Amino acid sequence: MKILYNIRLLLVILSIIIFSCNRKETHSNGVNIIETNLTEFVDPFIGTGGHGHTYPGATIPFGMVQVSPDNGVSGWDWCSGYHYSDSKTIGFSHLHLSGTGIGDLTDIRVMPINKKVDLTTPVNTRDEIPYISKYSHTNENATPGYYSVFLDDFNIKAELTADLRTAFHRYTFREGDDQSLILDLGYTVNWDKTVDSQINIEDKYTVSGYRYSTGWAKNQKVYFVLQFSKSINGYDLYKSNTKVERSNTVKDTATSVQLFFNEVVKNQLEVKVGVSSVSIDNAKKNIAEHKNNFEFDLVKEKAHSSWENALSNINVETKIDSLRTIFYTALYHSQIAPVTYSDSDGAYRKENDTVSYADKFVAYSTLSLWDTFRAEHPLLVLLAPDKVSDMINSMLAYYEDKKILPVWTLYANETNTMTGYHSVSVIAEAYLKGIRGFDIEKAYEAMKQTMMQDERGLNFYKEYGYIPYELLDESVTITLEYAYNDWCVAQIAKALHKNEDYNYFLKRSEAYTHLFDPETGFMRGKNKEGVAWHEPFDPKFSAHRVHADYTEGNAWQHSWFVPHNIERLIQLFGDENTFVTKLEQLFTEDSEITGDNVSADISGLIGQYAHGNEPSHHIAYMFNKANAPWKTQYWVHQILKTQYNTTPKGLSGNEDCGQMSAWYVFSSLGIYPMNPASGEYQIGSPLFDKSTIKIKEGVDFTIEAEQVSDANIYIQSATLNGKELNRSYITHQEIMNGGTLHFVMGSSPNKNWGVKN
């Protein structure tokens, strides 16, 4: 009896230990906190509806592969290959863009099927594809690093996971069904078009090849290898619409193959897929660590752990589960891109087809800099500083060839998408916030050379001090962004004691003053003589990318981009009251956008404020600089409350490689890098009772919001490490030092807090 009692006691103790390991309760400020897996709060379907343009598939933080379902439809809302409104799929490809407004990638697509099909029939639309299948969202599941769906037409459960450079598939067929897989390199969607492809049946377990394409990335080369857990019993190879007999290789602009597998060994098929920009051999090297093992569950668990580590850098405490879901999904989305581009041996292909090697750094691509310099890169400075230095080294490697810094690179191709040279901002911010790991003298040379060349309107900018509207479309936006870029160059020149350069670029950073019209209170297009404004003028008018003075927006949205000198902008308005009145009118004006070619990117409107596009993202924080911080608190809270939710339509505009989500991460914590390179974070209105940012081992920065609620959005008082804080910003160094920022919140504004005397 005693032995039996001891066994039972041991079982009880073990069950308590196991329960405690999975569920830990703590108490903070009266809030009951259950510490559990943070990935449970991530919903990858947020942003897959509406205009979010995200994908639900599997990847790990900054991973090379993003294996995800494709609906097979061309259209703006299918830029990621997937849209939640759809219910059909044509397979799972391995490269995807997260939240962009342009569609490309969706390379190397495979589809499991339980029957033989004829791939010789010409296909004009998605619904004519013979291997298309319906699916239901009720049989679809996505968590960080894992995706699954049941293919209704073929009775197959498809599961996907990934590590850094390899995708893993597991397909479970109905007992007794044929087990087959289709690889189609010809069918394309959106901007992408195959120009050459090849499929090789290497042996009974291996298929390899390449796909060359043109699209947003004009010269994209993807090499691949597929390894299978069971032997290939037969195959049908095709080029264009012709079946190729008695061959194990096929080469054409459009190639495809149907593979048939041994059905004796269980009803599951596992597939490993490696990709490379360099060669088939390198694709094999990228999956070499897995050798011949098929470790789906192990890889899935490692992917889960990698996301747990990435998400655990910030812990938030709140009574409201939906806020936690929005937050951790945002933190997840903000660490998907940029993506790893160099292979396991450091090799990567450049746009000019040369192969280079990343020496002591990882090369990254998918640099959406016009978007991400604003909040995502500042967030990575806090969460992943080692990756920031690698991203900068990737930019400098690009500079070595082009003698100019990148604008927007995709698979190492310069797309020249959007305005400005915001790699300059990313470099300046990183260095001024203490990140090293790159050659600052070389980086400064690249920054200076970039801003002194003559491309993309810089010749006009240097000649006139601004860009005249009749010489270049989007002249106002480009001028404002070059002015900020110049200010960033000036700050690094100052740090490196290059005083002549500092004075030159600081003076040039005042270019915005040429375009301010005091009569209307807007930045406006000016002619090359400098004496006349662009007429007729309607501040609500939008023209998408042609015959416009503003990029993807209008005068209301773009006139505020002077993040480096808001004090001078206030002076241009005349005084703080005039400035605040005009700024608040932005949020209270009616939301009509005029014009026959309105930019679809203008979304998430609060008045004329457009949160769905990045140029608006800093604006609500500008009240702080005009001695009206309670207005920043009010409008930031309104944006947080109305522009994000837990549904597939939970983003009010394109995710844009993490920027939309990074804005939420910062703003929900209560701070925002309005001018990323300044070293300051403007204080807004925190959502959480308590947030803890892990700075490094043993050093945390905690933000507490006493009495915060949906009604208590205004800061009544604040302390930093126990000392009164009566300013509307904190510094990067104060965060890095660790400590506690404590707010007392209330339902009415305290118009004395954070105001300069």
Side-chain angles (χ1 to χ4, degrees):
M1 287 292 294
K2 187 173 183 180
I3 294 174
L4 183 59
Y5 172 81
N6 287 339
I7 291 173
R8 287 174 176 171
L9 180 61
L10 180 60
L11 289 173
V12 170
I13 293 171
L14 283 173
S15 67
I16 293 171
I17 291 172
I18 292 170
F19 182 81
S20 299
C21 288
N22 288 287
R23 178 185 174 100
K24 180 182 177 184
E25 286 195 10
T26 59
H27 299 272
S28 176
N29 295 333
V31 180
N32 191 38
I33 305 301
I34 300 174
E35 296 174 2
T36 184
N37 291 334
L38 298 178
T39 53
E40 292 180 2
F41 302 118
V42 176
D43 182 356
F45 289 110
I46 292 175
T48 60
H51 302 313
H53 296 186
T54 62
Y55 60 81
T59 189
I60 69 166
F62 314 105
M64 174 181 281
V65 292
Q66 312 87 36
V67 56
S68 190
D70 297 327
N71 296 131
V73 173
S74 292
W76 192 55
D77 279 332
W78 279 263
C79 281
S80 74
Y82 177 99
H83 194 262
Y84 197 80
S85 64
D86 215 327
S87 59
K88 295 180 182 180
T89 183
I90 62 168
F92 311 100
S93 61
H94 293 80
L95 301 176
H96 291 84
L97 287 163
S98 180
T100 64
I102 298 181
D104 205 335
L105 304 183
T106 66
D107 289 82
I108 321 303
R109 184 182 301 109
V110 299
M111 180 68 168
I113 192 169
N114 63 354
K115 62 183 180 181
K116 182 181 177 71
V117 293
D118 182 5
L119 299 181
T120 63
T121 304
V123 170
N124 297 310
T125 68
R126 180 270 299 265
D127 290 335
E128 294 175 352
I129 294 174
Y131 50 83
I132 191 171
S133 177
K134 297 187 295 293
Y135 64 91
S136 168
H137 293 307
T138 59
N139 294 321
E140 190 180 28
N141 180 40
T143 59
Y146 174 77
Y147 172 86
S148 71
V149 67
F150 187 80
L151 303 175
D152 292 341
D153 289 332
F154 308 131
N155 294 300
I156 299 170
K157 180 180 181 181
E159 299 176 89
L160 311 173
T161 190
D163 70 3
L164 185 62
R165 295 183 176 90
T166 307
F168 293 78
H169 305 237
R170 181 164 65 191
Y171 302 124
T172 303
F173 296 80
R174 188 170 58 181
E175 202 72 41
D177 276 4
D178 290 343
Q179 298 177 30
S180 181
L181 188 77
I182 291 171
L183 168 65
D184 188 346
L185 304 183
Y187 184 80
T188 61
V189 295
N190 286 324
W191 285 256
D192 179 55
K193 180 182 178 182
T194 310
V195 296
D196 191 19
S197 65
Q198 181 171 306
I199 298 174
N200 312 308
I201 312 299
E202 290 196 5
D203 56 43
K204 287 189 174 183
Y205 296 93
T206 309
V207 172
S208 65
Y210 62 77
R211 179 176 183 269
Y212 301 165
S213 63
T214 187
W216 195 13
K218 299 301 181 186
N219 180 28
Q220 187 191 352
K221 295 183 176 177
V222 182
Y223 298 85
F224 67 89
V225 60
L226 282 66
Q227 293 183 351
F228 306 102
S229 62
K230 56 176 61 177
S231 63
I232 302 169
N233 277 354
Y235 57 85
D236 293 332
L237 277 169
Y238 300 84
K239 65 176 184 178
S240 295
N241 301 118
T242 303
K243 187 175 180 180
V244 178
E245 304 289 353
R246 295 182 297 278
S247 178
N248 63 352
T249 297
V250 63
K251 182 179 183 298
D252 193 63
T253 51
T255 59
S256 58
V257 63
Q258 181 168 14
L259 304 165
F260 305 95
F261 293 91
N262 184 335
E263 298 148 24
V264 176
V265 185
K266 70 179 183 179
N267 62 336
Q268 281 188 342
L269 172 68
E270 294 193 41
V271 189
K272 289 183 297 186
V273 182
V275 298
S276 166
S277 67
V278 174
S279 65
I280 292 171
D281 284 343
N282 267 39
K284 292 177 179 178
K285 290 177 185 177
N286 286 342
I287 64 173
E289 66 176 277
H290 303 284
K291 298 181 180 177
N292 294 320
N293 299 323
F294 291 86
E295 310 159 316
F296 188 93
D297 289 323
L298 178 60
V299 173
K300 175 186 173 185
E301 184 57 38
K302 287 183 176 179
H304 172 269
S305 296
S306 69
W307 278 114
E308 278 296 322
N309 290 334
L311 298 173
S312 66
N313 286 314
I314 305 179
N315 183 61
V316 298
E317 301 178 12
T318 177
K319 310 175 187 72
I320 306 170
D321 286 343
S322 61
L323 293 182
R324 191 184 284 110
T325 294
I326 297 170
F327 178 84
Y328 281 109
T329 302
L331 194 58
Y332 163 78
H333 277 142
S334 64
Q335 297 179 82
I336 287 176
V339 302
T340 298
Y341 184 58
S342 53
D343 293 335
S344 57
D345 65 356
Y348 62 97
R349 182 178 298 274
K350 292 186 175 182
E351 185 177 7
N352 62 8
D353 266 337
T354 62
V355 173
S356 189
Y357 287 84
D359 183 19
K360 297 180 182 178
F361 72 96
V362 173
Y364 287 90
S365 191
T366 310
L367 293 167
S368 180
L369 295 164
W370 186 80
D371 309 292
T372 56
F373 88 90
R374 305 168 196 267
E376 194 211 2
H377 279 283
L379 184 61
L380 298 184
V381 166
L382 291 175
L383 303 184
D386 57 326
K387 290 180 171 58
V388 172
S389 58
D390 281 0
M391 291 168 193
I392 291 173
N393 281 317
S394 302
M395 297 177 196
L396 297 181
Y398 177 96
Y399 170 76
E400 288 176 1
D401 287 342
K402 301 276 192 169
K403 299 307 174 190
I404 194 170
L405 284 166
V407 176
W408 208 127
T409 61
L410 175 64
Y411 227 73
N413 281 236
E414 179 59 87
T415 68
N416 268 312
T417 302
M418 310 313 295
T419 45
Y421 282 101
H422 298 299
S423 47
V424 168
S425 172
V426 172
I427 294 169
E429 177 197 16
Y431 185 77
L432 295 171
K433 289 181 176 176
I435 290 181
R436 299 302 181 252
F438 61 93
D439 184 339
I440 186 56
E441 289 290 347
K442 179 179 178 181
Y444 179 72
E445 172 197 306
M447 296 166 72
K448 179 179 177 180
Q449 171 66 18
T450 296
M451 295 308 297
M452 290 301 294
Q453 45 83 31
D454 292 331
E455 294 183 17
R456 291 162 50 87
L458 273 169
N459 53 334
F460 305 133
Y461 180 80
K462 290 186 293 183
E463 180 179 354
Y464 297 97
Y466 61 96
I467 297 175
Y469 73 81
E470 67 265 50
L471 299 182
L472 189 66
D473 280 348
E474 304 179 356
S475 61
V476 175
T477 297
I478 296 171
T479 297
L480 297 178
E481 293 186 9
Y482 282 163
Y484 176 65
N485 296 155
D486 278 343
W487 184 86
C488 290
V489 177
Q491 303 314 301
I492 297 299
K494 182 179 181 181
L496 298 179
H497 308 293
K498 301 178 187 294
N499 295 330
E500 185 176 344
D501 283 359
Y502 168 72
N503 291 325
Y504 172 79
F505 284 105
L506 190 66
K507 179 64 177 175
R508 242 177 48 167
S509 75
E510 298 174 356
Y512 62 91
T513 61
H514 295 290
L515 300 187
F516 183 77
D517 175 13
E519 186 174 330
T520 63
F522 292 103
M523 298 287 179
R524 296 182 57 186
K526 182 176 281 187
N527 70 355
K528 59 185 179 182
E529 287 77 26
V531 295
W533 300 113
H534 194 180
E535 298 287 357
F537 176 66
D538 175 2
K540 296 179 181 179
F541 176 81
S542 166
H544 186 66
R545 308 316 300 260
V546 290
H547 308 304
D549 291 341
Y550 312 94
T551 303
E552 296 180 357
N554 61 24
W556 271 113
Q557 292 136 24
H558 281 264
S559 293
W560 310 98
F561 191 75
V562 190
H564 55 294
N565 200 345
I566 296 172
E567 294 84 353
R568 180 75 177 100
L569 180 61
I570 292 171
Q571 291 176 4
L572 293 177
F573 273 92
D575 55 48
E576 288 179 347
N577 288 335
T578 305
F579 176 82
V580 168
T581 298
K582 186 74 170 186
L583 184 56
E584 189 146 53
Q585 187 184 352
L586 169 73
F587 293 92
T588 58
E589 186 75 11
D590 71 70
S591 296
E592 179 190 14
I593 307 295
T594 61
D596 297 326
N597 182 29
V598 172
S599 175
D601 296 276
I602 303 175
S603 61
L605 288 166
I606 302 176
Q608 286 288 315
Y609 173 88
H611 192 70
N613 209 18
E614 281 68 25
S616 289
H617 279 190
H618 71 291
I619 296 176
Y621 290 91
M622 297 176 76
F623 291 107
N624 280 358
K625 292 287 189 177
N627 272 333
W630 65 92
K631 292 185 180 292
T632 282
Q633 294 156 35
Y634 175 81
W635 288 112
V636 167
H637 183 80
Q638 292 304 305
I639 299 165
L640 286 165
K641 183 178 178 180
T642 63
Q643 302 301 304
Y644 299 83
N645 61 59
T646 59
T647 74
K649 296 182 180 180
L651 297 174
S652 60
N654 295 169
E655 165 64 9
D656 282 321
C657 295
Q659 170 58 28
M660 191 70 69
S661 290
W663 187 96
Y664 186 91
V665 170
F666 270 122
S667 296
S668 64
L669 295 176
I671 58 177
Y672 189 78
M674 183 178 67
N675 173 0
S678 69
E680 291 183 0
Y681 301 82
Q682 296 302 310
I683 292 172
S685 179
L687 285 183
F688 304 115
D689 299 87
K690 182 179 179 181
S691 308
T692 303
I693 306 171
K694 184 187 296 182
I695 303 301
K696 59 183 179 181
E697 195 63 38
V699 179
D700 294 336
F701 185 76
T702 299
I703 301 172
E704 298 173 342
E706 184 181 337
Q707 299 176 6
V708 70
S709 69
D710 193 43
N712 293 344
I713 65 172
Y714 295 105
I715 296 170
Q716 306 300 300
S717 63
T719 59
L720 179 62
N721 299 326
K723 296 182 179 179
E724 181 183 3
L725 183 77
N726 194 19
R727 51 180 158 89
S728 59
Y729 70 92
I730 59 170
T731 69
H732 181 73
Q733 192 57 54
E734 287 169 336
I735 292 176
M736 297 304 291
N737 290 340
T740 300
L741 176 62
H742 182 89
F743 298 113
V744 177
M745 309 298 292
S747 59
S748 299
N750 177 1
K751 296 183 179 181
N752 294 315
W753 183 84
V755 175
K756 299 175 185 176
N757 295 323

